[in-house]
Amino acid sequence: MSLNVAVWPSISEDALFFMDLSQLTDENVAANGAYVTRGAPGFEILSSIRADTLLASSPKNALLSDHDGTMEPSSFYMLRYHRDRMLQAAEDLGWADTCDTIAGPSGLGLLRQVLHSYFVSESGRHGPPKPLKLRVTIDFTGYISITSTPLPPLHPSSLFPLLLSSLPASIGQALPPQSWRVTIYPISVSPSLFTRHKTTERSVYNEARSFISKRLPDADRADSLLNEILVVNQDDEVMEGSITTPYFWRGGRWVTPPAAAGGHTGTTRRYALEAGLCVEETVMRDSIEPGESIWFSNGARGWGWGVVEMQE
């Protein structure tokens, strides 16, 4: 099911400028970003948000989801962080109408209202509400769309860990953490606006995940979501995972690749840095070893860990 809100005037003919966004450089965006990206068919800012009634009883999630300290319960995982990330993307793209739609307390309130209406209507259609991954997109006019897919239940400690232990099983007792199988994408990626922000232009990540699928036995392809691949830039620095933020044990502490490496500044990454779970540090491709354990986080699936199974 999808939900569309905030219907704005249609795209004018003079805005229809078509090009392959995967080839768009930062210089192009700086000079023509709002014009070029508005004209790209289907191009939108994207965020994937966990909707889960369990979160409504979490004071920590309320703190990370409200805007004025009222601690209003929220069923949406770190909602304010998702809004902030989408807003930053809109600002960098020069999308003024999008910024007006989601900026400030009123924008966050609108987003919360839209998500709540969707979650209530969708989650209870087949019995008690179940966790959903909400795929939320917004275009250059401020038009919001939502689609969803089911998610497995998670223990609260898998959503808000107090620390990242060297023993992955210690993160939670009720449910084991997710175990990811990890490899490294052999093709270097050029950082751009579309690697620093999460948008529907995901050709780099789609190609990386396609590489995983081609190497998996047929029996494992149905579970390919828990196979992760690390994306590396031209300087052999790890940028991020194709659908996660990775954390590496280096020098007696957990580190995550710096924003300067070119990857997304994800919501759970922001939480980890602000909570002191990790620090930013460059991670080189050749420092990653087969059998190494890595923590991962994702804005819909929370926290889990993985093991490097091969080095490309």
Side-chain angles (χ1 to χ4, degrees), residues 289-307:
E289 300 180 355
E292 179 177 349
S293 293
I294 301 172
W295 279 105
F296 289 100
S297 64
N298 172 282
R301 291 180 169 266
W303 298 74
W305 67 286
V307 174

Side-chain angles (χ1 to χ4, degrees), residues 112-295:
R112 181 199 295 266
Q113 180 181 359
V114 170
L115 296 182
H116 177 73
S117 296
Y118 180 92
F119 187 41
V120 168
S121 65
E122 186 69 7
S123 63
R125 294 177 66 197
H126 307 290
K130 295 180 175 62
L132 294 177
K133 172 186 172 181
L134 304 183
R135 184 181 186 274
V136 182
T137 60
I138 185 166
D139 71 8
F140 78 94
T141 68
Y143 188 94
I144 300 170
S145 299
I146 306 172
T147 58
S148 63
T149 53
L151 285 172
L154 290 176
H155 189 270
S157 60
S158 291
L159 295 171
F160 298 105
L162 298 178
L163 55 85
L164 300 184
S165 170
S166 58
L167 300 174
S170 68
I171 189 172
Q173 300 302 318
L175 290 174
Q178 302 160 72
S179 180
W180 302 71
R181 290 173 291 189
V182 188
T183 188
I184 303 174
Y185 192 37
I187 302 173
S188 297
V189 169
S190 300
S192 72
L193 193 72
F194 307 111
T195 63
R196 284 190 288 273
H197 294 299
K198 190 170 183 178
T199 70
T200 52
E201 167 39 48
R202 292 186 57 78
S203 57
V204 164
Y205 305 100
N206 294 339
E207 290 164 8
R209 295 203 65 76
S210 175
F211 177 83
I212 299 177
S213 297
K214 291 174 182 176
R215 299 184 65 90
L216 285 176
D218 289 345
D220 291 338
R221 289 184 182 176
D223 191 35
S224 63
L225 189 61
L226 290 182
N227 288 273
E228 181 57 303
I229 188 162
L230 300 174
V231 178
V232 179
N233 66 23
Q234 308 101 311
D235 296 322
D236 277 346
E237 300 169 345
V238 176
M239 296 166 60
E240 59 188 324
S242 63
I243 57 173
T244 65
T245 296
Y247 306 86
F248 304 85
W249 186 252
R250 297 289 185 274
R253 58 185 179 173
W254 290 99
V255 305
T256 196
H264 294 150
T265 51
T267 55
T268 50
R269 177 185 184 277
R270 175 178 170 183
Y271 169 79
L273 288 167
E274 292 183 358
L277 302 181
C278 68
V279 297
E280 286 188 318
E281 184 175 298
T282 298
V283 177
M284 303 303 296
R285 178 201 296 265
D286 61 10
S287 75
I288 302 171
E289 300 180 355
E292 179 177 349
S293 293
I294 301 172
W295 279 105

Side-chain angles (χ1 to χ4, degrees), residues 48-79:
S48 297
I49 306 175
R50 184 181 187 87
D52 190 337
T53 54
L54 176 71
L55 290 166
S57 60
S58 167
K60 183 165 290 186
N61 193 60
L63 180 64
L64 300 178
S65 298
D66 74 357
H67 55 79
D68 55 9
T70 58
M71 298 289 288
E72 180 180 350
S74 173
S75 296
F76 309 108
Y77 188 38
M78 303 186 189
L79 177 59

Side-chain angles (χ1 to χ4, degrees), residues 88-112:
Q88 185 62 62
E91 291 174 350
D92 287 355
L93 287 167
W95 290 5
D97 288 341
T98 307
C99 293
D100 290 344
T101 299
I102 59 175
S106 61
L108 183 59
L110 171 66
L111 185 58
R112 181 199 295 266

Side-chain angles (χ1 to χ4, degrees), residues 22-40:
S22 67
Q23 304 302 315
L24 192 60
T25 66
D26 285 355
E27 289 74 18
N28 294 144
V29 173
N32 306 292
Y35 179 69
V36 170
T37 56
R38 285 187 311 179

